């Protein structure tokens, strides 16, 4: 059983004998006439009696709460910007119009002020003198000596006679040096010294200046003597087969 | 009108709560307090053994919750419904703390007479009201809550259903059986 809106409305407004036939039929389906009257007594009586006990909280409750509210707000205030309050704040139309006029006037006055300052600038001015430090950057050429190494090929599995070896290597070196002589001129002596000092091209045999001039050394233009590595290998193979 | 100063009195409870949550607006809080403190004080008074001091304390605690954590408010709900549901939960906690609920053992100043038909009407009405309050205090927690919210605070059945978090049909049923229980207790007054 439920106390629906219609039944509640009837209970609050009508006594049982005041109900129409239709209403009586509706009520009778739910309760007896006696129950209806008892229900009505409770609903009407409670409306009066419950509302009589309205009390208000003591004033110090509100004071305490407002103090707590202010304390919380004071703690929070410096940290947050209330954008919502700024954007939703409304002012009267005349205030908005007045502020626009004020802005325009102030802009106009500012412009006037600039002209006045320009006139004053025409007067002689005192110039303060102060020491100015300037940094000067100087550039200079620095020469650096870079050693030059020349490389050459050497057969490592051939053991020619010392003369042949000397002549073979000397021939190659001479060709290189002749080429360099045409272009490098005075650097020839330095290169020769490097060759003799470092023994890179001439193995362990020193090369002297007078030995490598093509005019005075006819062997430079003659074909090389001795065996190549391939010939040497063939020879060894042949000798092995014979033996 | 485009330019109009904000007037708090025209704002709804939910709008005031929005100001309170966003800006910590103490004016909005004060207005909410003025609107609801009396009703809640009365609610706590009826629900918590008709103790004025307890009702004061509970009213203060409830509003202190709003001061400290206004973001607890669910903007999808009506403020009044939300407030009464928080108050109802506080009462439930109090009942639990006290081991179920206390029955107010106030002895009626005017006990129900055996021969009621001889009692003059003004005394009869006062006695009825006193007995009704006594009977309401003795109701079960859920029945008492529904009855007070409906007939004291004037909430609709739908709002009560939101407060107590149950279907509307359940609320109507509870109200019916509560009224029947009270009418059985107080039917003696029917004849007077």
């Amino acid at each position: 059983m439920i106390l629906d809106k219609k039944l509640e409305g009837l209970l609050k407004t009508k006594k049982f004998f005041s109900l129409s036939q239709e209403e009586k039929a509706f009520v009778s389906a739910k309760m007896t006439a006696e129950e209806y009257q008892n229900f009505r007594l409770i609903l009407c009586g409670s409306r009066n009696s419950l509302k009589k006990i309205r009390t208000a909280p003591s004033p110090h409750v509100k004071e305490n709460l407002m103090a707590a509210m202010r304390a919380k707000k004071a703690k929070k205030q410096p940290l947050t910007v209330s954008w919502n309050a700024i954007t939703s704040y409304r002012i009267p139309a005349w205030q908005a119009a007045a502020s626009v006029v004020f802005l325009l006037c102030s802009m106009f006055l500012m412009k006037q002020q600039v002209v006045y300052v320009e006139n004053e600038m025409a007067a002689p001015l005192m110039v303060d003198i102060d020491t100015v430090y300037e940094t000067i950057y100087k550039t200079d050429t620095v020469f650096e000596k870079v050693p030059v190494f020349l490389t050459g090929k050497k057969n490592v599995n051939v053991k020619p006679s010392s003369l042949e070896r000397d002549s073979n290597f000397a021939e190659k070196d001479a060709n290189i040096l002749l080429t360099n002589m045409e272009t490098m001129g005075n650097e020839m002596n330095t290169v020769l010294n490097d060759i003799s000092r470092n023994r890179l091209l001439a193995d362990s045999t020193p090369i002297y200046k007078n030995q490598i001039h093509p005019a005075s050394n006819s062997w430079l233009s003659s074909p090389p003597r001795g065996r190549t590595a391939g010939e040497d290998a063939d020879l060894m193979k042949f000798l092995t087969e014979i033996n | 009108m485009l330019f109009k100063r904000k007037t708090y009195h025209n704002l709804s409870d939910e709008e005031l709560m929005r100001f309170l949550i966003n800006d910590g607006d103490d004016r909005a809080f004060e207005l909410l307090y003025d609107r609801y403190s009396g009703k809640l004080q009365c609610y706590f008074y009826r629900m918590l053994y008709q103790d004025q001091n307890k009702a004061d304390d509970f009213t203060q605690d409830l509003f202190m919750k709003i001061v400290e954590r206004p973001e607890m408010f669910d903007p999808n709900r009506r403020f009044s419904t939300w407030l009464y549901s928080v108050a109802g939960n506080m009462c439930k906690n109090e009942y639990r703390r006290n081991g179920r609920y206390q029955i107010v053992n106030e002895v009626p100043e005017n006990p129900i007479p055996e021969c009621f038909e001889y009692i003059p009407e003004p005394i009869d009405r006062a006695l009825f009201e006193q007995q009704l309050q006594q009977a309401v205090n003795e109701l079960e927690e859920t029945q008492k809550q529904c009855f007070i919210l409906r007939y004291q605070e004037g909430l609709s059945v739908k709002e009560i259903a939101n407060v107590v978090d149950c279907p509307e049909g359940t609320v109507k049923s509870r109200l019916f059986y509560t009224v029947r229980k009270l009418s059985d207790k107080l039917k003696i007054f029917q004849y007077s």
Side-chain angles (χ1 to χ4, degrees):
Chain A
M1 292 289 276
I2 58 169
L3 191 60
D4 57 16
K5 204 171 182 178
K6 188 179 177 184
L7 180 60
E8 200 180 53
L10 291 173
L11 284 165
K12 282 180 180 173
T13 53
K14 289 183 177 179
K15 291 179 180 176
F16 188 77
F17 57 81
S18 306
L19 295 174
S20 65
Q21 287 301 320
E22 190 189 345
E23 287 167 344
K24 268 184 186 166
F26 172 75
V27 171
S28 298
K30 293 176 183 290
M31 60 183 69
T32 61
E34 189 187 350
E35 275 181 330
Y36 181 88
Q37 285 300 106
N38 289 340
F39 267 55
R40 184 172 151 70
L41 175 74
I42 297 300
L43 292 192
C44 296
S46 63
R47 199 166 43 184
N48 297 324
S49 70
L50 294 176
K51 284 182 181 176
K52 273 184 185 172
I53 57 164
R54 286 266 174 230
T55 56
S58 61
H60 72 261
V61 171
K62 188 175 181 181
E63 286 168 17
N64 292 344
L65 289 168
M66 292 311 294
M69 190 73 213
R70 280 190 292 271
K72 192 190 174 193
K73 198 176 178 184
K75 204 192 287 180
K76 199 179 171 184
Q77 196 86 20
L79 296 173
T80 57
V81 178
S82 175
W83 291 109
N84 190 25
I86 291 167
T87 52
S88 65
Y89 188 74
R90 291 176 178 180
I91 56 170
W94 69 267
Q95 285 184 13
S99 59
V100 170
V101 169
F102 175 76
L103 279 171
L104 289 171
C105 289
S106 58
M107 281 172 69
F108 179 73
L109 287 171
M110 286 283 281
K111 201 174 178 183
Q112 294 271 334
Q113 190 76 11
V114 170
V115 172
Y116 176 70
V117 170
E118 277 176 356
N119 289 341
E120 268 205 343
M121 287 291 282
L125 295 171
M126 290 294 289
V127 179
D128 290 333
I129 297 169
D130 203 355
T131 307
V132 177
Y133 294 95
E134 187 183 358
T135 308
I136 299 168
Y137 296 96
K138 287 184 177 178
T139 56
D140 204 354
T141 308
V142 178
F143 294 97
E144 189 183 358
K145 224 171 189 180
V146 180
V148 177
F149 297 98
L150 298 175
T151 58
K153 287 183 178 177
K154 187 172 77 173
N155 292 323
V156 292
N157 56 348
V158 177
K159 193 177 179 184
S161 66
S162 61
L163 181 61
E164 285 172 347
R165 186 183 61 189
D166 289 344
S167 64
N168 281 340
F169 284 104
E171 186 181 2
K172 290 177 184 174
D173 293 344
N175 287 332
I176 294 164
L177 290 172
L178 280 171
T179 310
N180 290 338
M181 277 171 67
E182 290 173 5
T183 55
M184 295 169 70
N186 291 332
E187 292 180 8
M188 181 66 181
N189 289 331
T190 314
V191 174
L192 288 171
N193 286 335
D194 288 341
I195 290 167
S196 59
R197 195 181 303 122
N198 294 321
R199 297 179 179 179
L200 289 173
L201 301 177
D203 195 12
S204 59
T205 308
I207 297 170
Y208 300 102
K209 291 176 190 175
N210 57 355
Q211 284 183 321
I212 59 170
H213 198 278
S216 58
N217 295 282
S218 58
W219 51 268
L220 283 174
S221 56
S222 62
R225 287 176 294 173
R227 294 184 295 276
T228 62
E231 290 168 349
D232 197 37
D234 291 340
L235 181 60
M236 289 301 291
K237 192 178 175 184
F238 175 71
L239 290 173
T240 309
E241 285 173 0
I242 289 172
N243 290 332
Chain B
M1 191 178 171
L2 182 62
F3 297 101
K4 188 181 175 185
R5 191 175 290 279
K6 185 170 69 183
T7 51
Y8 285 86
H9 287 279
N10 298 334
L11 296 176
S12 67
D13 299 338
E14 290 74 23
E15 284 172 322
L16 289 172
M17 269 311 282
R18 207 177 62 237
F19 280 116
L20 183 60
I21 293 167
N22 293 340
D23 312 331
D25 195 333
D26 51 351
R27 183 84 185 91
F29 173 76
E30 192 176 2
L31 223 79
L32 285 170
Y33 179 83
D34 291 342
R35 284 181 191 177
Y36 284 97
S37 62
K39 287 179 182 178
L40 283 157
Q41 166 81 9
C42 193
Y43 177 74
F44 282 127
Y45 179 78
R46 295 310 306 260
M47 293 292 287
L48 301 173
Y49 332 120
Q50 299 195 14
D51 184 338
Q52 185 70 36
N53 293 330
K54 203 178 269 289
D56 274 353
D57 290 346
F58 273 73
T59 308
Q60 181 167 314
D61 286 351
L62 175 58
F63 280 96
M64 196 59 90
K65 282 179 203 288
I66 298 173
V67 170
E68 285 169 356
R69 292 180 60 198
E71 65 277 0
M72 278 195 316
F73 171 62
D74 180 4
N76 298 321
R77 296 179 69 181
R78 279 190 65 188
F79 177 73
S80 59
T81 312
W82 175 77
L83 198 63
Y84 277 113
S85 64
V86 175
N89 288 334
M90 289 172 74
C91 290
K92 276 182 195 169
N93 291 338
E94 179 63 11
Y95 291 145
R96 208 171 291 135
R97 203 177 299 125
N98 289 350
R100 200 66 187 128
Y101 66 98
Q102 279 181 3
I103 294 172
V104 181
N105 291 319
E106 285 177 3
V107 178
E109 288 170 11
N110 302 311
I112 299 171
E114 293 294 327
C115 304
F116 48 84
E117 58 265 33
Y118 299 113
I119 300 170
E121 195 176 337
I123 300 173
D124 192 22
R125 184 171 292 170
L127 186 62
F128 168 74
E129 287 173 359
Q130 193 182 22
Q131 290 299 319
L132 178 62
Q133 286 180 22
Q134 179 73 16
V136 169
N137 288 332
E138 288 171 4
L139 287 170
E140 285 177 22
E141 178 201 326
T142 51
Q143 289 179 332
K144 183 158 76 169
Q145 189 180 24
C146 288
F147 187 81
I148 289 173
L149 288 173
R150 181 79 187 105
Y151 299 113
Q152 181 178 302
E153 303 304 326
L155 268 63
S156 67
V157 172
K158 191 179 178 182
E159 286 172 328
I160 297 170
N162 282 329
V163 170
V164 299
D165 196 22
C166 68
E168 287 181 40
T170 310
V171 175
K172 286 176 184 173
S173 173
R174 276 182 194 170
L175 284 172
F176 182 86
Y177 287 107
T178 306
V179 176
R180 172 173 274 179
K181 192 185 264 188
L182 291 173
S183 68
D184 284 345
K185 277 189 180 179
L186 302 173
K187 64 183 174 186
I188 194 168
F189 290 96
Q190 179 61 36
Y191 301 102
S192 62

